[in-house]
Amino acid sequence: MEKKEISRAVIKRLPRYYRYLGDLKAQGVERISSGDLSSLMKVTASQIRQDLNNFGGFGQQGYGYNVNYLFNEIGKILGLDCKNNMIVVGVGNMGSALIKYSSFRSYGCDIIGAFDTNINLIGKTINGIVVQDYSEVGHFIKEHNVDIAVLTVPKEAAGHIAEELVKYGIKGFWNFAYTDLRLGPGIVVENVHLSDSLLRLSYSMKSKGVVND
Amino acid sequence: MEKKEISRAVIKRLPRYYRYLGDLKAQGVERISSGDLSSLMKVTASQIRQDLNNFGGFGQQGYGYNVNYLFNEIGKILGLDCKNNMIVVGVGNMGSALIKYSSFRSYGCDIIGAFDTNINLIGKTINGIVVQDYSEVGHFIKEHNVDIAVLTVPKEAAGHIAEELVKYGIKGFWNFAYTDLRLGPGIVVENVHLSDSLLRLSYSMKSKGVVND
């Protein structure tokens, strides 16, 4: 496939295409026109064509999109054919909840370890994962080829821990700590800032404008 | 304050300003120039001035921004002076984790009830909140003036439940179900789609481009 720069806005929309196509596939739909996909997703047909053209354009005039093919291609673009080993660092409420999700596995992202400094948590088993002492994390990352850390630690600790994890070889962070990580180039950070989301909701409730992706 | 249309992009950035100003306030910083705020937040000073001008512009030439004043004003704009009663519907992993957070309270958003259909969960107490039978939800919403439902149910059930909750009087949803809710006008939906976030991370790991707000 032709390698070209894809805008951040398009990348942000890809998971949503992937989800709708997955739902269509599950319903047994084999092909769909950009028009039908448009009314389903509440996005203009022209935007759909434009977005999907970024990836070579899988639509055919008069036929529409092959759902299964497009689903698989977007999956590949999203990197779901790569396996990413993940560890959870910080096994509080959010950390535990994420360990319990098994649906992430279908995205090629597998939680294989969990770490905390709290001796009351170390040794506990959550969804088959034994919580280990954080002091073991460096060894574990090297041993198990871990790519991604799910960072669910208090914001005060997050920056320092993230820097440490980068030294141990972590290349990407799914960051739930309510702070912006400042790491070197080449380190990927995807933030989930729940408080920001709640503040947007609060704003929308007050102003009654829908803020929604 | 002058009422004008504020772009969605600005609204999306406001919580981040609020967070940085809160941190500065906690550190005892009383005023800050747009230049200093710019290097701290890694946003251009011109964007900061432009963004904050939307709200009447609180900066003064040669003085900068008054941290406390700006923090409070943005708080008001975000609606933090309004109290929103929230209920959690669906007390699974994510629902429980959210009930255990108490920091949402400082945003004027208070979880005052939790509901599920699972008899093994009904009657359980989580962080002082007793899980109630979902069949009681309509009564509770009216009785307690509930504005927001935190929707943490499986995606298959989400649409139907959301419509029901709207009939009972819910005006806003913090939607963690992995589906787009299609509700009437005037109903606010703020989505937290963790899987989309993980897919973006997966994409970035593959392409090594940082996708980050």
Side-chain angles (χ1 to χ4, degrees):
Chain A
M1 185 184 304
E2 196 195 338
K3 190 95 177 165
K4 59 172 174 172
E5 200 64 45
I6 296 158
S7 83
R8 203 170 73 165
V10 175
I11 292 162
K12 286 203 133 190
R13 285 196 288 270
L14 272 192
R16 191 158 177 265
Y17 285 111
Y18 189 73
R19 169 158 54 93
Y20 274 87
L21 290 163
D23 287 348
L24 287 167
K25 202 184 145 188
Q27 289 155 26
V29 177
E30 288 179 9
R31 62 188 206 183
I32 189 163
S33 67
S34 54
D36 287 350
L37 195 54
S38 155
S39 41
L40 194 65
M41 293 182 66
K42 314 275 180 213
V43 175
T44 65
S46 109
Q47 169 147 85
I48 288 179
R49 283 190 295 267
Q50 215 172 43
D51 281 350
L52 300 179
N53 271 344
N54 275 292
F55 310 105
F58 309 104
Q60 264 177 277
Q61 197 80 44
Y63 173 88
Y65 295 100
N66 179 315
V67 169
N68 194 44
Y69 179 74
L70 192 51
F71 178 77
N72 289 334
E73 287 302 309
I74 292 183
K76 278 185 220 161
I77 291 159
L78 287 171
L80 306 190
D81 52 345
C82 311
K83 193 170 167 329
N84 288 306
N85 281 333
M86 305 202 296
I87 53 170
V88 170
V89 179
V91 188
N93 302 324
M94 186 54 65
S96 311
L98 294 172
I99 295 170
K100 288 175 192 158
Y101 273 98
S102 36
S103 59
F104 298 148
R105 207 161 288 182
S106 61
Y107 302 144
C109 296
D110 209 354
I111 292 173
I112 61 162
F115 296 85
D116 208 295
T117 53
N118 182 341
I119 52 161
N120 297 317
L121 294 171
I122 295 163
K124 252 183 87 172
T125 302
I126 302 169
N127 198 16
I129 303 289
V130 180
V131 180
Q132 295 176 68
D133 192 325
Y134 179 69
S135 67
E136 305 288 335
V137 77
H139 182 71
F140 187 92
I141 289 168
K142 276 163 200 146
E143 191 95 328
H144 294 85
N145 229 332
V146 179
D147 315 294
I148 296 175
V150 184
L151 204 60
T152 39
V153 296
K155 62 184 265 187
E156 295 73 22
H160 172 71
I161 289 176
E163 280 167 26
E164 218 165 63
L165 293 171
V166 167
K167 276 183 208 146
Y168 293 139
I170 290 293
K171 297 272 178 283
F173 289 88
W174 201 15
N175 176 40
F176 287 76
Y178 196 32
T179 189
D180 297 329
L181 302 177
R182 297 283 155 71
L183 303 165
I187 304 297
V188 173
V189 179
E190 167 74 21
N191 290 318
V192 179
H193 285 167
L194 289 184
S195 295
D196 283 4
S197 174
L198 185 59
L199 289 176
R200 285 195 294 271
L201 176 58
S202 164
Y203 174 84
S204 307
M205 290 297 288
K206 186 175 176 177
S207 67
K208 280 292 173 212
V210 181
V211 178
N212 202 348
D213 290 290
Chain B
M1 186 185 306
E2 196 195 340
K3 189 96 178 164
K4 60 172 174 173
E5 200 64 46
I6 295 157
S7 84
R8 205 170 71 165
V10 175
I11 293 162
K12 285 203 134 191
R13 287 195 289 270
L14 272 192
R16 193 159 175 265
Y17 285 111
Y18 189 73
R19 169 158 53 93
Y20 274 87
L21 290 164
D23 288 348
L24 286 167
K25 202 184 144 187
Q27 287 155 27
V29 176
E30 287 180 10
R31 62 190 207 181
I32 190 163
S33 67
S34 54
D36 287 350
L37 195 55
S38 155
S39 41
L40 193 66
M41 294 183 65
K42 315 276 182 211
V43 175
T44 65
S46 109
Q47 168 147 85
I48 288 179
R49 282 190 294 267
Q50 216 171 41
D51 282 351
L52 299 180
N53 270 344
N54 275 291
F55 311 107
F58 310 104
Q60 266 177 275
Q61 198 80 40
Y63 174 87
Y65 295 101
N66 178 315
V67 169
N68 193 45
Y69 179 74
L70 192 51
F71 177 78
N72 288 334
E73 286 303 308
I74 292 183
K76 278 186 222 161
I77 291 159
L78 287 171
L80 306 189
D81 51 345
C82 313
K83 192 169 165 335
N84 288 305
N85 281 331
M86 305 202 295
I87 53 170
V88 171
V89 178
V91 188
N93 303 323
M94 186 54 66
S96 311
L98 294 172
I99 295 169
K100 287 174 192 158
Y101 274 97
S102 38
S103 58
F104 299 149
R105 207 160 290 181
S106 61
Y107 303 143
C109 296
D110 208 355
I111 293 174
I112 60 162
F115 296 85
D116 207 296
T117 53
N118 183 341
I119 51 161
N120 297 316
L121 294 171
I122 295 163
K124 252 182 87 172
T125 301
I126 303 168
N127 198 16
I129 303 289
V130 180
V131 180
Q132 295 177 69
D133 191 326
Y134 178 70
S135 67
E136 305 290 334
V137 77
H139 181 70
F140 188 92
I141 289 168
K142 276 165 202 147
E143 191 93 329
H144 293 85
N145 228 333
V146 180
D147 314 294
I148 295 176
V150 184
L151 206 58
T152 40
V153 297
K155 62 184 266 189
E156 295 75 20
H160 172 70
I161 289 176
E163 281 168 25
E164 219 163 62
L165 292 171
V166 167
K167 276 182 208 148
Y168 293 139
I170 290 294
K171 297 273 178 282
F173 289 87
W174 202 16
N175 177 39
F176 287 76
Y178 195 33
T179 189
D180 297 328
L181 302 177
R182 298 284 155 72
L183 303 165
I187 304 297
V188 172
V189 180
E190 166 73 23
N191 290 318
V192 179
H193 286 167
L194 289 183
S195 294
D196 284 4
S197 174
L198 186 58
L199 289 175
R200 284 195 296 269
L201 177 58
S202 165
Y203 174 84
S204 307
M205 290 298 286
K206 187 175 177 177
S207 66
K208 280 293 171 211
V210 179
V211 178
N212 203 347
D213 290 290

Short mmCIF file of all heavy atoms in Angstrom, two decimals, chain B residues 105-138:
data_model
loop_
_atom_site.label_atom_id
_atom_site.label_comp_id
_atom_site.label_asym_id
_atom_site.label_seq_id
_atom_site.Cartn_x
_atom_site.Cartn_y
_atom_site.Cartn_z
N ARG B 105 -16.61 14.99 42.37
CA ARG B 105 -17.44 15.86 43.19
C ARG B 105 -16.98 17.32 43.12
O ARG B 105 -17.78 18.24 43.15
CB ARG B 105 -17.40 15.36 44.64
CG ARG B 105 -18.64 15.72 45.42
CD ARG B 105 -18.82 14.85 46.64
NE ARG B 105 -19.17 13.47 46.31
CZ ARG B 105 -19.41 12.53 47.23
NH1 ARG B 105 -19.31 12.81 48.51
NH2 ARG B 105 -19.73 11.30 46.86
N SER B 106 -15.65 17.51 42.98
CA SER B 106 -15.14 18.88 42.93
C SER B 106 -15.53 19.58 41.63
O SER B 106 -15.35 20.77 41.47
CB SER B 106 -13.61 18.88 43.09
OG SER B 106 -13.03 18.14 42.03
N TYR B 107 -16.07 18.83 40.67
CA TYR B 107 -16.57 19.43 39.43
C TYR B 107 -18.07 19.68 39.51
O TYR B 107 -18.71 19.91 38.49
CB TYR B 107 -16.27 18.54 38.23
CG TYR B 107 -14.81 18.22 38.05
CD1 TYR B 107 -14.39 16.97 37.61
CD2 TYR B 107 -13.84 19.17 38.32
CE1 TYR B 107 -13.04 16.69 37.45
CE2 TYR B 107 -12.49 18.90 38.17
CZ TYR B 107 -12.11 17.65 37.74
OH TYR B 107 -10.79 17.38 37.57
N GLY B 108 -18.63 19.57 40.69
CA GLY B 108 -20.07 19.79 40.83
C GLY B 108 -20.89 18.59 40.38
O GLY B 108 -22.11 18.66 40.29
N CYS B 109 -20.21 17.48 40.08
CA CYS B 109 -20.91 16.29 39.61
C CYS B 109 -20.86 15.22 40.69
O CYS B 109 -19.78 14.73 41.03
CB CYS B 109 -20.27 15.76 38.33
SG CYS B 109 -20.41 16.92 36.97
N ASP B 110 -22.01 14.87 41.18
CA ASP B 110 -22.08 14.04 42.36
C ASP B 110 -22.84 12.76 42.01
O ASP B 110 -23.98 12.82 41.56
CB ASP B 110 -22.85 14.83 43.43
CG ASP B 110 -22.45 14.42 44.82
OD1 ASP B 110 -21.66 13.47 44.96
OD2 ASP B 110 -22.94 15.04 45.78
N ILE B 111 -22.18 11.61 42.19
CA ILE B 111 -22.88 10.34 41.96
C ILE B 111 -23.73 10.05 43.18
O ILE B 111 -23.20 9.88 44.28
CB ILE B 111 -21.88 9.19 41.69
CG1 ILE B 111 -21.16 9.42 40.35
CG2 ILE B 111 -22.62 7.84 41.66
CD1 ILE B 111 -20.06 8.42 40.04
N ILE B 112 -25.04 10.01 43.00
CA ILE B 112 -25.93 9.84 44.16
C ILE B 112 -26.71 8.52 44.11
O ILE B 112 -27.45 8.21 45.03
CB ILE B 112 -26.91 11.02 44.32
CG1 ILE B 112 -27.81 11.14 43.07
CG2 ILE B 112 -26.18 12.33 44.57
CD1 ILE B 112 -29.06 11.97 43.32
N GLY B 113 -26.53 7.75 43.03
CA GLY B 113 -27.24 6.48 42.96
C GLY B 113 -26.60 5.56 41.93
O GLY B 113 -25.86 6.01 41.06
N ALA B 114 -26.86 4.26 42.08
CA ALA B 114 -26.31 3.28 41.14
C ALA B 114 -27.35 2.19 40.92
O ALA B 114 -28.05 1.79 41.86
CB ALA B 114 -25.02 2.67 41.69
N PHE B 115 -27.45 1.73 39.68
CA PHE B 115 -28.52 0.79 39.31
C PHE B 115 -27.99 -0.33 38.43
O PHE B 115 -27.11 -0.13 37.59
CB PHE B 115 -29.64 1.55 38.58
CG PHE B 115 -30.31 2.56 39.45
CD1 PHE B 115 -29.77 3.84 39.57
CD2 PHE B 115 -31.42 2.23 40.20
CE1 PHE B 115 -30.34 4.77 40.42
CE2 PHE B 115 -32.01 3.16 41.05
CZ PHE B 115 -31.47 4.44 41.16
N ASP B 116 -28.55 -1.52 38.66
CA ASP B 116 -28.20 -2.66 37.83
C ASP B 116 -29.40 -3.62 37.82
O ASP B 116 -30.31 -3.49 38.65
CB ASP B 116 -26.93 -3.36 38.36
CG ASP B 116 -26.16 -4.07 37.26
OD1 ASP B 116 -26.71 -5.04 36.67
OD2 ASP B 116 -25.03 -3.66 36.94
N THR B 117 -29.38 -4.58 36.90
CA THR B 117 -30.44 -5.60 36.89
C THR B 117 -29.94 -6.90 37.52
O THR B 117 -30.72 -7.81 37.77
CB THR B 117 -30.88 -5.91 35.44
OG1 THR B 117 -29.71 -6.24 34.68
CG2 THR B 117 -31.56 -4.71 34.79
N ASN B 118 -28.64 -6.98 37.77
CA ASN B 118 -28.02 -8.19 38.30
C ASN B 118 -28.30 -8.33 39.80
O ASN B 118 -27.84 -7.51 40.59
CB ASN B 118 -26.51 -8.13 38.02
CG ASN B 118 -25.78 -9.38 38.46
OD1 ASN B 118 -26.28 -10.16 39.28
ND2 ASN B 118 -24.60 -9.58 37.92
N ILE B 119 -29.04 -9.39 40.17
CA ILE B 119 -29.43 -9.52 41.58
C ILE B 119 -28.23 -9.75 42.50
O ILE B 119 -28.31 -9.53 43.70
CB ILE B 119 -30.46 -10.66 41.82
CG1 ILE B 119 -29.99 -11.97 41.19
CG2 ILE B 119 -31.84 -10.27 41.29
CD1 ILE B 119 -30.71 -13.18 41.76
N ASN B 120 -27.10 -10.19 41.91
CA ASN B 120 -25.90 -10.35 42.73
C ASN B 120 -25.26 -9.01 43.10
O ASN B 120 -24.42 -8.94 43.99
CB ASN B 120 -24.87 -11.22 42.00
CG ASN B 120 -25.39 -12.61 41.76
OD1 ASN B 120 -25.98 -13.22 42.65
ND2 ASN B 120 -25.21 -13.11 40.54
N LEU B 121 -25.61 -7.99 42.36
CA LEU B 121 -25.05 -6.66 42.63
C LEU B 121 -26.01 -5.79 43.46
O LEU B 121 -25.56 -4.96 44.26
CB LEU B 121 -24.73 -5.94 41.32
CG LEU B 121 -23.63 -6.57 40.47
CD1 LEU B 121 -23.56 -5.90 39.10
CD2 LEU B 121 -22.28 -6.45 41.18
N ILE B 122 -27.31 -6.00 43.27
CA ILE B 122 -28.30 -5.17 43.96
C ILE B 122 -28.16 -5.35 45.47
O ILE B 122 -28.08 -6.48 45.96
CB ILE B 122 -29.73 -5.53 43.49
CG1 ILE B 122 -29.88 -5.18 42.00
CG2 ILE B 122 -30.80 -4.81 44.32
CD1 ILE B 122 -31.06 -5.83 41.31
N GLY B 123 -28.09 -4.23 46.18
CA GLY B 123 -27.93 -4.27 47.63
C GLY B 123 -26.49 -4.07 48.08
O GLY B 123 -26.24 -3.72 49.23
N LYS B 124 -25.54 -4.30 47.15
CA LYS B 124 -24.12 -4.07 47.48
C LYS B 124 -23.86 -2.58 47.69
O LYS B 124 -24.48 -1.74 47.03
CB LYS B 124 -23.25 -4.53 46.29
CG LYS B 124 -22.45 -5.80 46.53
CD LYS B 124 -21.58 -6.16 45.35
CE LYS B 124 -20.20 -5.51 45.35
NZ LYS B 124 -19.34 -6.05 44.26
N THR B 125 -22.95 -2.27 48.60
CA THR B 125 -22.61 -0.87 48.82
C THR B 125 -21.20 -0.59 48.27
O THR B 125 -20.26 -1.31 48.57
CB THR B 125 -22.63 -0.51 50.32
OG1 THR B 125 -23.94 -0.78 50.82
CG2 THR B 125 -22.30 0.96 50.55
N ILE B 126 -21.09 0.40 47.41
CA ILE B 126 -19.80 0.79 46.83
C ILE B 126 -19.58 2.27 47.15
O ILE B 126 -20.37 3.12 46.72
CB ILE B 126 -19.78 0.57 45.31
CG1 ILE B 126 -20.08 -0.90 44.98
CG2 ILE B 126 -18.44 0.99 44.70
CD1 ILE B 126 -20.36 -1.16 43.51
N ASN B 127 -18.53 2.55 47.89
CA ASN B 127 -18.20 3.93 48.24
C ASN B 127 -19.42 4.68 48.79
O ASN B 127 -19.67 5.84 48.45
CB ASN B 127 -17.63 4.64 46.99
CG ASN B 127 -16.87 5.92 47.35
OD1 ASN B 127 -16.51 6.14 48.50
ND2 ASN B 127 -16.65 6.77 46.36
N GLY B 128 -20.17 3.99 49.61
CA GLY B 128 -21.32 4.62 50.26
C GLY B 128 -22.61 4.62 49.45
O GLY B 128 -23.66 5.06 49.92
N ILE B 129 -22.52 4.15 48.20
CA ILE B 129 -23.71 4.12 47.34
C ILE B 129 -24.25 2.69 47.27
O ILE B 129 -23.53 1.77 46.92
CB ILE B 129 -23.33 4.57 45.89
CG1 ILE B 129 -22.70 5.96 45.88
CG2 ILE B 129 -24.55 4.47 44.96
CD1 ILE B 129 -23.65 7.09 46.17
N VAL B 130 -25.53 2.52 47.61
CA VAL B 130 -26.15 1.20 47.56
C VAL B 130 -26.67 0.95 46.13
O VAL B 130 -27.40 1.78 45.58
CB VAL B 130 -27.31 1.08 48.56
CG1 VAL B 130 -27.95 -0.31 48.48
CG2 VAL B 130 -26.81 1.36 49.97
N VAL B 131 -26.27 -0.16 45.52
CA VAL B 131 -26.74 -0.51 44.18
C VAL B 131 -28.21 -0.89 44.28
O VAL B 131 -28.59 -1.76 45.08
CB VAL B 131 -25.93 -1.68 43.58
CG1 VAL B 131 -26.44 -2.01 42.18
CG2 VAL B 131 -24.44 -1.35 43.56
N GLN B 132 -29.05 -0.24 43.46
CA GLN B 132 -30.49 -0.50 43.48
C GLN B 132 -30.91 -1.25 42.23
O GLN B 132 -30.22 -1.25 41.22
CB GLN B 132 -31.25 0.82 43.57
CG GLN B 132 -31.01 1.57 44.88
CD GLN B 132 -31.73 2.91 44.89
OE1 GLN B 132 -32.94 2.98 44.92
NE2 GLN B 132 -30.96 3.98 44.84
N ASP B 133 -32.08 -1.85 42.34
CA ASP B 133 -32.68 -2.55 41.20
C ASP B 133 -33.00 -1.52 40.11
O ASP B 133 -33.60 -0.48 40.40
CB ASP B 133 -33.97 -3.25 41.67
CG ASP B 133 -34.50 -4.21 40.62
OD1 ASP B 133 -34.36 -3.91 39.41
OD2 ASP B 133 -35.05 -5.25 41.01
N TYR B 134 -32.66 -1.85 38.89
CA TYR B 134 -32.89 -0.92 37.78
C TYR B 134 -34.37 -0.54 37.66
O TYR B 134 -34.69 0.57 37.20
CB TYR B 134 -32.38 -1.52 36.47
CG TYR B 134 -32.64 -0.63 35.28
CD1 TYR B 134 -31.94 0.57 35.13
CD2 TYR B 134 -33.61 -0.96 34.33
CE1 TYR B 134 -32.19 1.41 34.07
CE2 TYR B 134 -33.87 -0.11 33.26
CZ TYR B 134 -33.16 1.07 33.13
OH TYR B 134 -33.42 1.91 32.08
N SER B 135 -35.25 -1.40 38.10
CA SER B 135 -36.69 -1.08 37.99
C SER B 135 -37.08 0.13 38.85
O SER B 135 -38.13 0.72 38.66
CB SER B 135 -37.52 -2.30 38.39
OG SER B 135 -37.35 -2.56 39.77
N GLU B 136 -36.20 0.51 39.77
CA GLU B 136 -36.47 1.67 40.64
C GLU B 136 -35.99 2.98 40.04
O GLU B 136 -36.20 4.06 40.62
CB GLU B 136 -35.75 1.49 41.99
CG GLU B 136 -36.06 0.21 42.74
CD GLU B 136 -37.47 0.20 43.30
OE1 GLU B 136 -38.03 1.30 43.53
OE2 GLU B 136 -38.04 -0.90 43.47
N VAL B 137 -35.32 2.91 38.88
CA VAL B 137 -34.57 4.07 38.40
C VAL B 137 -35.47 5.27 38.08
O VAL B 137 -35.11 6.42 38.37
CB VAL B 137 -33.64 3.70 37.20
CG1 VAL B 137 -34.40 3.56 35.90
CG2 VAL B 137 -32.50 4.69 37.07
N GLY B 138 -36.62 5.01 37.49
CA GLY B 138 -37.52 6.11 37.10
C GLY B 138 -37.97 6.92 38.31
O GLY B 138 -37.91 8.16 38.31
#
